[in-house]
Amino acid sequence: MQTLQATIFLFVFVPLVNPAPPLQQESLQFYDYDEELPLGSLTQQDYEMKSKDIRKDGTNVSLDTSLRMQRDDAQLDVPPTKDTNLPTCLLCVCLSGSVYCEEIDIEAVPPLPKETAYLYARFNKIKRIAASDFADITTLRRIDFSGNRIEEIEDGAFSKLLLLEELSLAENRLIKLPVLPPKLTTFNANQNRIKSRGIKANAFKKLTNLAYLYLGHNALESVPLNLPESLRILHLQYNNITSITDDTFCKSNNTRYIRTQMDEIRMEGNPVVLAKHVNAFSCLRMLPVGTYY
């Protein structure tokens, strides 16, 4: 009998598995925390402290949480004022020659980068402007101090700002005006406490570029003298002006004189009755806004 020899082939199917991503292929490093940690990592003492809870007022607080709470408390204790001695561009926002220091409760003008052209320091607690504040910043073109508590501006505070075109001191506590730089085009001192004696007779005479002058909501008893020919807008509403003269806006000795640049004069809210001073407006293209009867 012929013996049949059966050959049994055993096929082992091994499923193909995609290789692990590189991050998974990296060997994982395990540390035995019973052994001494190498130099450069946490010391054994640090590790033991970290693994324990710190008991504070009867409550278990982890070291990480405790440190984080301490850090947060420290940040809250630092008021955002000049006294923090922070660099101006950390305390404020500096961007392409502009410095924004708005609503951060500073009490004095911060030191400015020498290339500053525009300063916005509105709604703070500044009380005084010193001559040294802008002594080295000759590049300034616009300054806005609206909404502060400014009572005093030192003599010469703006004398070196020969490029300054716009200055706002609105909503402060001024009783007199400082000497203004010669190239101003816009000056805003609305809502202060300025009286006529607080404005020098020639305060505006040499400002041959001044086009916009805002002195509303003050305590003026008369219209400022020697207003420049360049003036287009003049706001004097809600003061205590009781009278005006033929030379206030015009020239009584020159009946042909026309003030060609003046577009708007606001005088409402004053005790003066404008109809009693008709000759005072003969050189104007438009009558002032105010009471006529």
Side-chain angles (χ1 to χ4, degrees):
M1 182 176 181
Q2 186 178 359
T3 304
L4 296 177
Q5 293 182 350
T7 304
I8 300 174
F9 295 94
L10 181 63
F11 293 91
V12 179
F13 293 91
V14 180
L16 294 178
V17 180
N18 291 331
L23 289 178
Q24 296 180 8
Q25 290 180 355
E26 293 180 359
S27 60
L28 298 178
Q29 226 172 354
F30 296 92
Y31 295 96
D32 186 354
Y33 288 104
D34 293 333
E35 297 179 0
E36 185 178 356
L37 294 175
L39 185 64
S41 58
L42 292 173
T43 62
Q44 185 71 23
Q45 181 180 4
D46 290 338
Y47 171 72
E48 292 174 357
M49 290 180 63
K50 185 174 181 180
S51 62
K52 296 179 181 179
D53 288 339
I54 298 176
R55 185 170 300 277
K56 183 179 181 181
D57 297 332
T59 304
N60 289 336
V61 182
S62 67
L63 180 63
D64 288 344
T65 304
S66 177
L67 291 176
R68 185 165 56 252
M69 291 173 61
Q70 292 176 13
R71 183 168 60 252
D72 291 343
D73 291 343
Q75 290 176 350
L76 293 175
D77 291 340
V78 180
T81 65
K82 187 178 178 181
D83 295 336
T84 59
N85 293 321
L86 288 173
T88 299
C89 290
L90 291 180
L91 184 65
C92 307
V93 176
C94 300
L95 181 64
S96 299
S98 298
V99 178
Y100 299 88
C101 298
E102 299 179 310
E103 298 184 90
I104 57 174
D105 292 338
I106 53 175
E107 298 179 0
V109 180
L112 300 173
K114 289 189 176 181
E115 69 277 6
T116 303
Y118 305 97
L119 170 63
Y120 302 92
R122 297 178 294 187
F123 310 113
N124 286 292
K125 298 178 181 179
I126 300 172
K127 296 181 179 180
R128 183 175 182 271
I129 299 176
S132 58
D133 289 336
F134 304 114
D136 300 324
I137 316 297
T138 59
T139 54
L140 279 164
R141 294 181 178 273
R142 181 186 300 160
I143 297 175
D144 194 341
F145 283 126
S146 301
N148 279 274
R149 304 175 183 179
I150 300 171
E151 298 178 350
E152 179 188 359
I153 299 178
E154 196 169 289
D155 291 340
F158 304 120
S159 61
K160 295 184 179 181
L161 304 182
L162 301 181
L163 300 179
L164 193 67
E165 297 176 351
E166 299 179 33
L167 175 61
S168 179
L169 301 171
E171 300 178 55
N172 280 282
R173 302 174 182 178
L174 292 171
I175 59 174
K176 65 178 183 178
L177 291 185
V179 177
L180 300 172
K183 290 190 176 181
L184 274 187
T185 61
T186 303
F187 179 61
N188 189 342
N190 281 340
Q191 299 187 34
N192 277 273
R193 304 170 183 177
I194 303 168
K195 296 186 176 182
S196 291
R197 64 173 178 266
I199 301 178
K200 296 181 179 180
N202 294 323
F204 304 110
K205 185 176 183 179
K206 295 182 179 180
L207 304 182
T208 57
N209 294 323
L210 187 64
Y212 306 95
L213 178 58
Y214 303 103
L215 295 170
H217 297 270
N218 277 282
L220 299 175
E221 299 90 1
S222 60
V223 178
L225 301 175
N226 300 314
L227 296 173
E229 295 290 329
S230 58
L231 206 58
R232 294 180 55 190
I233 305 295
L234 175 62
H235 285 190
L236 297 168
Q237 69 272 25
Y238 296 98
N239 279 275
N240 295 324
I241 299 173
T242 56
S243 65
I244 54 179
T245 69
D246 293 350
D247 292 319
T248 299
F249 303 110
C250 305
K251 297 179 180 180
S252 59
N253 59 351
N254 185 354
T255 58
R256 296 183 178 182
Y257 169 73
I258 301 295
R259 188 180 276 272
T260 58
Q261 300 294 326
M262 188 72 77
D263 293 328
E264 178 182 281
I265 299 176
R266 288 185 57 181
M267 297 189 66
E268 74 271 21
N270 284 281
V272 63
V273 178
L274 298 179
K276 295 181 178 180
H277 308 278
V278 178
N279 292 333
F281 316 129
S282 60
C283 67
L284 300 177
R285 298 185 300 173
M286 299 181 65
L287 291 175
V289 178
T291 302
Y292 283 86
Y293 55 89

